[in-house]
Amino acid sequence: MNAFSTLEQRQLTLENEAKPHAVIVGSGFGGLGAAVRLSARGWRVTVLEKLDAPGGRAYVYRKDGHVFDAGPTIITVPSLFEELWALAGRRFSDDIALKQLDPFYRIRFADGDHFDYSGDPDKMRAEVRRVSPSDSAGYERFMAEADHCYRLGFEALGAKAFDTVGDLLRASPAILRMRGWRSLHTMVAAHLKHPKLRMAMSLQSLLIGGNPFSVTCVYSLINALERMWGVHWAMGGTGSLINGLVSLLQGMGGTLRCNAEVRRIEVNGGRATGVTLANGEQIAADIVISNADTAWTYRNLIEPQHRRHWTDKRVEKGRYSMSLFVWYFGTNKQYTDVPHHMMLLGSRYKELLKDIFKRHKLASDFSLYLHRPTATDPSMAPAGSDTFYVLAPVPHLDSGTDWQTEAEPYRQAIAKVLDQTVMPGFEQHVTTSFMTTPQDFHDRLLSFKGAAFGLEPLLLQSAWFRPHNRSEDIDGLYMVGASTHPGAGVPGVLMSAKALDSVVPHGEAFVAACSP
């Protein structure tokens, strides 16, 4: 049996070595999704990760018995994961246990009132009536329009690469039917009059790095997407999904290398030919896929003479998304009144967002997202304890904030708000604590300007106007992840990997095209 297994493994290795080689820079959801898809389509895949473990923004910290998911925590459209598992010949449900949340999240307003946002239509209607009975009919109209945007924006356009002007022209009728020139908040306000409901139905764009007063109303599709697919938690944390994808990749003959920072993408004759690592090692490739931030990729990994489209000037003049301040902490006490996901909104909404996105000013007030995974999954903390992170949207590094100096006072201000609202006296129970700032997004995650989501998803920075999945400058170079089409959020980055199917040839076709 062992001899047979060894021979079988050797045969698989020989078959894999005969395939064309794809190098993927970064092991976030986009990079690993692309790795699985390319492995299933006849490519030998190597994934290179700067950090000491996979995940990128979905990195996992383990400290004092607590498990902290660094970034994405809202999982929806599980069919995208199921599809990846099926490509590897496995069943998603055999490896991952998803638990649907009810409510999806609680939105707490500055006056202490709250709105439980769920996927149950009757519960949602009841919440709307409780806040504003006169908005009941408007809510139905809003959700109908959001469903329309979901069908046109997500189902029809999400997984297709916008590669040419022709692709844009073919998509234009759908964009016009959605009246995509309107902002998300403008669309919401056309249906709902109560300010609390306007906030509750528009804040979802912040989950993908967009100001609801600026992003296209196409992103109302998030409201429909959540209602259609639900909001889930992966038991064991988001890291269980990352580890599952790594297992798929390795089972298909692919390779993951951590502590392997790419310093340069090599270009010869206008084509990507491999990468050079920080330690000087060179790795040849037939194609290169970057799951790194696209602005960082073009600005720092590719020499200027190879970039006629994504010049330094073009990269620098883009309008970039917000960044994030995240405080991770564990307590030796459980806070059962705090749900899994909670948004704590401050007294300012539009003006605070203007400070973050337009003035690039670190304000003294904030709105927060509080994540308590132990509400659903006790394995994320020691027995009798809770694991948290609290996140504040903040401006990217153009604010000029010295985060080495400002991080601790900012954390203390957040702690004071939590103490005064939903977790009185909690600080005496904190047993472990650390922070991530916009400077960490820049230095550790290599995000241009420390922006957490790449270019802000404005209409003229979306679809064809966003960095393309197939590089506009270099043959054999492709992009996946939050900062390319279709955009941020776990469904978005997985769809970016799926979009490669329309622009990257099957491995066998690539070899045939290269043969004399």
Side-chain angles (χ1 to χ4, degrees):
M1 181 68 177
N2 287 339
F4 176 78
S5 296
T6 301
L7 289 171
E8 188 178 53
Q9 185 61 47
R10 286 176 181 171
Q11 180 64 27
L12 287 171
T13 300
L14 288 172
E15 291 176 359
N16 208 37
E17 288 177 351
K19 297 175 181 177
H21 188 206
V23 165
I24 298 178
V25 182
S27 67
F29 279 119
L32 292 175
V36 171
R37 289 185 172 278
L38 288 169
S39 296
R41 298 178 64 238
W43 290 85
R44 175 168 59 94
V45 177
T46 300
V47 179
L48 303 171
E49 171 55 53
K50 171 183 180 286
L51 303 179
D52 62 352
R57 286 167 174 75
Y59 186 87
V60 178
Y61 297 99
R62 301 177 188 275
K63 192 170 182 181
D64 300 325
H66 295 266
V67 182
F68 298 96
D69 284 322
T73 58
I74 293 178
I75 303 300
T76 187
V77 198
S79 63
L80 291 170
F81 287 105
E82 291 166 356
E83 190 175 322
L84 293 172
W85 259 253
L87 287 172
R90 286 162 57 176
R91 288 202 324 172
F92 179 67
S93 59
D94 289 341
D95 295 334
I96 304 293
L98 288 185
K99 186 170 182 178
Q100 184 159 321
L101 302 184
D102 183 23
F104 294 164
Y105 36 84
R106 174 168 293 168
I107 302 167
R108 185 188 188 278
F109 302 103
D111 64 2
D113 186 21
H114 70 263
F115 185 102
D116 279 346
Y117 196 107
S118 76
D120 185 315
D122 291 334
K123 288 182 180 178
M124 284 292 285
R125 291 180 182 117
E127 282 287 82
V128 169
R129 284 195 303 269
R130 181 182 61 80
V131 174
S132 177
S134 63
D135 274 319
S136 293
Y139 169 71
E140 300 294 340
R141 292 193 301 271
F142 165 68
M143 287 309 301
E145 188 167 4
D147 288 343
H148 178 65
C149 290
Y150 170 81
R151 289 190 297 272
L152 294 177
F154 187 81
E155 291 185 338
L157 303 177
K160 175 171 172 47
F162 279 77
D163 204 39
T164 66
V165 174
D167 294 326
L168 174 63
L169 293 175
R170 282 186 288 275
S172 294
I175 296 171
L176 290 172
R177 287 198 296 274
M178 291 183 282
R179 293 186 289 165
W181 58 86
R182 298 171 299 161
S183 75
L184 174 59
H185 192 272
T186 296
M187 172 188 161
V188 171
H191 298 297
L192 299 166
K193 304 307 177 188
H194 199 287
K196 288 181 179 177
L197 295 180
R198 289 179 173 183
M199 286 187 278
M201 302 300 159
S202 66
L203 60 76
Q204 288 75 12
S205 67
L206 291 165
L207 301 174
I208 60 167
N211 178 355
F213 292 91
S214 303
V215 302
T216 168
C217 67
V218 173
Y219 289 104
S220 64
L221 66 83
I222 299 172
N223 303 71
L225 180 149
E226 290 180 341
R227 183 175 66 168
M228 183 170 297
W229 293 100
V231 168
H232 305 263
W233 173 252
M235 299 302 286
T238 307
S240 67
L241 293 167
I242 292 294
N243 291 335
L245 289 168
V246 170
S247 174
L248 299 185
L249 169 66
Q250 293 173 337
M252 300 168 84
T255 300
L256 167 68
R257 290 180 56 183
C258 295
N259 296 307
E261 180 183 351
V262 172
R263 281 287 172 85
R264 185 170 64 251
I265 294 173
E266 300 296 342
V267 180
N268 187 7
R271 182 173 186 85
T273 58
V275 300
T276 297
L277 303 187
N279 64 5
E281 179 185 355
Q282 293 190 329
I283 301 173
D286 295 292
I287 61 173
V288 175
I289 297 93
S290 179
N291 183 212
D293 176 68
T294 54
W296 187 277
T297 297
Y298 283 116
R299 183 69 176 78
N300 296 296
L301 300 186
I302 300 168
E303 293 177 342
Q305 65 267 29
H306 303 304
R307 297 184 276 114
R308 295 183 63 184
H309 183 84
W310 287 107
T311 61
D312 289 354
K313 183 178 179 180
R314 183 185 289 267
V315 169
E316 287 159 7
K317 78 175 184 179
R319 287 177 57 181
Y320 288 86
S321 73
M322 65 189 184
S323 192
L324 304 171
F325 176 92
V326 191
W327 175 29
Y328 306 87
F329 63 95
T331 62
N332 58 15
K333 176 184 175 180
Q334 293 182 322
Y335 293 83
T336 55
D337 290 338
V338 177
H340 192 124
H341 300 295
M342 176 184 270
M343 284 74 167
L344 294 91
L345 302 183
S347 58
R348 296 193 305 150
Y349 187 55
K350 183 176 183 179
E351 286 302 308
L352 175 61
L353 292 172
K354 188 175 289 186
D355 281 344
I356 294 169
F357 284 92
K358 295 186 176 180
R359 300 185 184 113
H360 304 304
K361 169 190 172 185
L362 183 65
S364 58
D365 60 329
F366 35 70
S367 289
L368 304 172
Y369 160 52
L370 181 62
H371 180 226
R372 178 182 170 245
T374 34
T376 304
D377 189 350
S379 73
M380 301 294 284
S385 300
D386 262 343
T387 291
F388 293 92
Y389 83 48
V390 60
L391 174 157
V394 294
H396 58 59
L397 291 176
D398 277 1
S399 70
T401 303
D402 179 358
W403 281 104
Q404 188 171 356
T405 301
E406 296 296 331
E408 178 55 20
Y410 199 73
R411 184 203 67 79
Q412 291 175 7
I414 289 173
K416 183 177 180 181
V417 167
L418 293 179
D419 180 83
Q420 293 173 343
T421 54
V422 296
M423 297 175 64
F426 82 100
E427 282 195 276
Q428 62 184 309
H429 297 285
V430 172
T431 56
T432 190
S433 170
F434 60 100
M435 296 171 281
T436 290
T437 74
Q439 196 65 53
D440 295 308
F441 274 89
H442 179 277
D443 298 346
R444 187 169 184 270
L445 296 174
L446 305 184
S447 295
F448 188 66
K449 298 191 178 192
F453 304 91
L455 289 168
E456 187 183 357
L458 308 170
L459 179 61
L460 295 182
Q461 293 188 159
S462 298
W464 185 80
F465 300 101
R466 204 163 180 81
H468 291 188
N469 301 105
R470 173 160 48 190
S471 173
E472 301 94 321
D473 287 313
I474 298 164
D475 290 339
L477 175 63
Y478 303 88
M479 304 289 162
V480 294
S483 50
T484 185
H485 172 72
V490 175
V493 299
L494 292 178
M495 293 283 268
S496 75
K498 190 171 183 176
L500 290 188
D501 290 355
S502 64
V503 290
V504 177
H506 190 283
E508 291 179 358
F510 179 87
V511 171
C514 294
S515 299

